[in-house]
Amino acid sequence: GIQVEQSPPDLILQEGANSTLRCNFSDSVNNLQWFHQNPWGQLINLFYIPSGTKQNGRLSATTVATERYSLLYISSSQTTDSGVYFCAVRDRGSTLGRLYFGRGTQLTVWP
Amino acid sequence: EAGVAQSPRYKIIEKRQSVAFWCNPISGHATLYWYQQILGQGPKLLIQFQNNGVVDDSQLPKDRFSAERLKGVDSTLKIQPAKLEDSAVYLCASSLLYGQGYEQYFGPGTRLTVT
């Protein structure tokens, strides 16, 4: 299956700082989603972004499909941004709907 | 719009016992997925349904796991008998369709502990 690598694995920030999370994938995709997993385990949809750039408040994401990577930007971080951020992709060449997840980036924001 | 519903939220059982999880997808979503998330890892697909038919169960341990979606709406995932390594969060997701990479939405999950 398609390989998904996320970096960095851990990130510790002070409130107000900016950060960039990266997702590399090994093959062409037609679905790429960024999720935030809260402390209770729920996956919250942040972006559906198989290509291009999107912004939602302090968060933005860019996917360069031809170069097989995506970036998630968090600006002016807040303590509520803490949690694990996952990137997940669907193989364009597959007839199935399976999402392949990376291992996530654990973000901790201190006040 | 209501999200994906799951129950129970937590379950503790002893090894060799059986357990069942329930999922109700977003209204109108034809595709339903069950993922398993072991601590420290990303979720991995167990099974995918399209309406009431199985599309992909290649990663489902069929000797102990079973799932059904009889009326094409809600679904049940069962483990019998449970093993210690089944301790994980079981996540249900749904999407409108799946052929062109539709966005998937996840429920709150069921945290299973096998002792």
Side-chain angles (χ1 to χ4, degrees):
Chain A
I2 196 167
Q3 304 299 311
V4 181
E5 293 184 0
Q6 291 187 244
S7 60
D10 297 281
L11 189 57
I12 300 174
L13 302 172
Q14 193 145 23
E15 211 168 22
N18 303 329
S19 60
T20 301
L21 282 59
R22 187 177 179 100
C23 171
N24 293 332
F25 43 94
S26 62
D27 213 333
S28 298
V29 301
N30 62 2
N31 180 357
L32 189 145
Q33 293 184 238
W34 282 99
F35 298 93
H36 177 212
Q37 189 163 45
N38 65 23
W40 297 271
Q42 173 128 32
L43 284 170
I44 309 298
N45 289 42
L46 297 177
F47 293 103
Y48 169 78
I49 186 166
S51 63
T53 297
K54 290 185 177 180
Q55 181 157 7
N56 184 3
R58 297 181 295 104
L59 273 60
S60 64
T62 295
T63 298
V64 184
T66 53
E67 297 187 19
R68 299 181 184 169
Y69 74 89
S70 182
L71 302 173
L72 177 68
Y73 305 97
I74 305 174
S75 65
S76 303
S77 56
Q78 301 175 357
T79 56
T80 52
D81 294 332
S82 295
V84 183
Y85 289 79
F86 285 103
C87 169
V89 303
R90 178 181 179 269
D91 188 342
R92 177 183 290 277
S94 172
T95 59
L96 307 173
R98 175 196 306 260
L99 282 179
Y100 292 88
F101 283 77
R103 296 183 68 92
T105 292
Q106 174 76 57
L107 175 64
T108 303
V109 181
W110 295 96
Chain B
E1 177 181 274
V4 178
Q6 289 188 247
S7 68
R9 293 296 311 277
Y10 305 93
K11 191 75 177 178
I12 301 174
I13 62 172
E14 294 182 353
K15 60 183 179 183
R16 291 188 289 274
Q17 286 187 325
S18 63
V19 64
F21 313 127
W22 175 83
C23 171
N24 188 260
I26 292 172
S27 178
H29 280 195
T31 310
L32 184 147
Y33 312 81
W34 284 101
Y35 288 82
Q36 179 193 57
Q37 185 179 18
I38 293 171
L39 188 65
Q41 300 181 18
K44 293 182 180 175
L45 184 77
L46 291 174
I47 188 167
Q48 174 191 340
F49 291 94
Q50 175 70 13
N51 296 311
N52 61 353
V54 174
V55 173
D56 181 6
D57 63 358
S58 58
Q59 301 302 304
L60 187 73
K62 299 181 188 61
D63 58 333
R64 298 183 300 106
F65 286 64
S66 64
E68 59 184 15
R69 192 184 183 201
L70 292 177
K71 296 184 180 179
V73 181
D74 55 351
S75 174
T76 302
L77 176 70
K78 297 179 181 177
I79 308 175
Q80 182 179 12
K83 292 185 175 181
L84 295 177
E85 58 260 36
D86 298 332
S87 293
V89 176
Y90 291 85
L91 295 161
C92 179
S94 71
S95 63
L96 194 61
L97 295 169
Y98 70 93
Q100 294 299 319
Y102 289 82
E103 187 171 5
Q104 294 186 23
Y105 298 86
F106 284 75
T110 296
R111 186 175 299 276
L112 173 68
T113 301
V114 182
T115 62

